[in-house]
Amino acid sequence: MAHQEIIGFYNRYRQKLYNIALRITGDSLDAEDVVQETVIKYLRSNTDRLDEQQVEAWLCKACARASVDMLRVRKALKVKLEKYAEEDSEEDCAQEWDILLESNEPNKMISGIRKAMMGMPDGYRVVLSLLLFEGYDYTEAAQILNVEESTVRSQYMRGKRKLLKLMSYMKG
């Protein structure tokens, strides 16, 4: 790939990858590092036969994994999400969650969720980012985080509850 092609490739995916990395790492400098590492990893890989949709999917998944790895290494999080014996009921905060998602101002609601998530502990923020914004299911998130699926479910429910509390504080 020529220099100009590399710059064009980087610019095409930079913002999307940055947003993924920022939501997971919670730090703009770490997010920038992750984006660069992801693009370099892609360029060094033997993925010439991928179409554009496959390239974007590859980059997004690699970026999410690199972001989690960044948390493990740089912030000593070690994403060992605690495994709890009891299972959280999805009905615990379902009604409040539905009310939040039925907002008449979806852009404001999404912006509020993103802002509130930045104030959350890393474990909750990572799980919520993977499930809410990146569209991964419990199984995929568990594979990315290298934990049990039940742990992801538990962290997701706790994270949703904490997010609802933070959102209510922001309104009040």
Side-chain angles (χ1 to χ4, degrees), residues 54-72:
Q54 291 172 321
V55 168
E56 187 171 331
W58 189 99
L59 287 168
C60 290
K61 192 168 217 172
C63 183
R65 287 182 180 198
S67 298
V68 170
D69 290 344
M70 176 73 71
L71 286 176
R72 286 183 178 138

Side-chain angles (χ1 to χ4, degrees), residues 13 17 22 27 34 39 41-42 49 55 61 66 70 75 82-83 107 125 127 136 163-166:
Y13 296 106
L17 298 177
L22 182 62
D27 181 88
V34 167
V39 171
K41 185 176 181 178
Y42 175 80
R49 291 179 247 140
V55 168
K61 192 168 217 172
M70 176 73 71
K75 294 184 178 180
E82 295 180 31
K83 186 172 182 179
N107 289 338
R125 190 181 63 249
V127 169
Y136 292 110
L163 182 60
L164 285 167
K165 282 183 186 175
L166 288 171

